[in-house]
Structure formats: structure tokens, C-alpha cells
């Protein structure tokens, strides 16, 4: 089995707001939102947005007054979610915008930057955290060229 990143823990100013945003943005993937069943190392229960058997975002309370810094040591620059087709990229992009996020670029093909018919969108959640949704429209080339 190929390695897959299954979950990502993010520190956010308002975990409930972030959970509502990501659950709405990822509706096309069958996302759900619920409080975690575990307690974090600080004693809190983060919010979880998940897509069954494939992805979980654990949304922890950030320290008061802090802001996301993608270039700080250990900071998150962005994360990407791979989906099966361009239609899903379009649906997630529209839902993310409707849920209060913004679209930095796309959805579109990026032929000069990526291979295999990369089609995607670069997004920002309400806290400015960058993420992307993408697919490969020419995966048969990937199987041949690796």
C-alpha cells in the first residue's frame, strides 16, 4: 500500500468555526464533524472533521493572540487533498467559497507547474490557512512514467 497522510492536526483560533467551515467545504466528499473522542495533550477535546477511512482534520484551540505563520518553525505552509475528478474539485471549491473561505487560484489546470493533467484550486480558510484540492486528469501517464 502506498503511504497516505490520513490525519492532520491544526491549531486554529476557533475550532467550532473551523469545523463548520471544513465540514461544509468537504460536503462533496461525505465529510462529518464531531468532537474528538480523545483528550489532547493539553486536556481539551478538539473538533474532528473527517471523511470516513481517508482523512481527518483535528482542530485544536490555538493559543490566544496567536496567528497562523506558514514560515515559522513547524508552521504549516498548506495542505492538499487529492480527489478523483475535476467535478469534485469544482464542487469543493464552490462549497469552500460559500462557507466563508476564499479562492486564491483556480479551479483550473496548471500545465506549466504540474504534470499528469493536474487540475486544482488553492484556497484559504476563514483564518487564512492555505489548502488545496486537486486531481490528476491524466493518471494513465503516471502509471507509464511513474
Amino acid at each position: 500500500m502506498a503511504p497516505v497522510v490520513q490525519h492532520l492536526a491544526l491549531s486554529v483560533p476557533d475550532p467550532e468555526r473551523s469545523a463548520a467551515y471544513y465540514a461544509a467545504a468537504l460536503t462533496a466528499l461525505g465529510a462529518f464533524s464531531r468532537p474528538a473522542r480523545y483528550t489532547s495533550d493539553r486536556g481539551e477535546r478538539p473538533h474532528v472533521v473527517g471523511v470516513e477511512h481517508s482523512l481527518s482534520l483535528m482542530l485544536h484551540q490555538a493559543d490566544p493572540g496567536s496567528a497562523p505563520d506558514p514560515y515559522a518553525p513547524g508552521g504549516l505552509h498548506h495542505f492538499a487533498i487529492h480527489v478523483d475528478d475535476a467535478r469534485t474539485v469544482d464542487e469543493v471549491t464552490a462549497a469552500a467559497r460559500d462557507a466563508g473561505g476564499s479562492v486564491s487560484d483556480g479551479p483550473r489546470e496548471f500545465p506549466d507547474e504540474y504534470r499528469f493533467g493536474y487540475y486544482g484550486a488553492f484556497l484559504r480558510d476563514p483564518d487564512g490557512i492555505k489548502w488545496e484540492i486537486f486531481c490528476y486528469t491524466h493518471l494513465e501517464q503516471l502509471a507509464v512514467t511513474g
Side-chain angles (χ1 to χ4, degrees), residues 38 41 52 70 91 142:
Y38 67 91
D41 50 359
E52 200 64 48
E91 287 178 13
L142 182 61

Side-chain angles (χ1 to χ4, degrees), residues 15-100:
E16 288 181 28
R17 180 186 70 180
S18 292
Y21 167 78
Y22 284 110
L26 301 174
T27 296
L29 304 181
F32 62 86
S33 176
R34 63 171 173 73
R37 294 190 178 112
Y38 67 91
T39 303
S40 75
D41 50 359
R42 291 196 316 189
E44 64 202 17
R45 290 195 185 276
H47 286 278
V48 175
V49 174
V51 176
E52 200 64 48
H53 304 297
S54 66
L55 171 69
S56 293
L57 299 176
M58 282 78 156
L59 304 165
H60 294 259
Q61 179 67 54
D63 289 334
S66 63
D69 182 351
Y71 295 101
L76 174 75
H77 185 276
H78 74 281
F79 65 93
I81 300 172
H82 177 230
V83 296
D84 291 332
D85 54 60
R87 179 187 53 78
T88 304
V89 170
D90 293 342
E91 287 178 13
V92 170
T93 301
R97 184 184 300 118
D98 292 347

Side-chain angles (χ1 to χ4, degrees), residues 5-12 18-19 21-23 25-26 29 31 49-51 54-59 68 70 74-83 92 96 102 104-105 114 118 120-135:
V5 174
Q6 192 278 332
H7 65 270
L8 180 64
L10 299 172
S11 295
V12 296
S18 292
Y21 167 78
Y22 284 110
L26 301 174
L29 304 181
V49 174
V51 176
S54 66
L55 171 69
S56 293
L57 299 176
M58 282 78 156
L59 304 165
L76 174 75
H77 185 276
H78 74 281
F79 65 93
I81 300 172
H82 177 230
V83 296
V92 170
S102 62
S104 301
D105 198 359
Y114 305 109
Y118 177 100
F122 292 87
L123 310 150
R124 298 268 179 188
D125 76 4
D127 296 311
I129 296 172
K130 182 178 177 181
W131 63 289
E132 97 192 65
I133 186 86
F134 76 98
C135 70

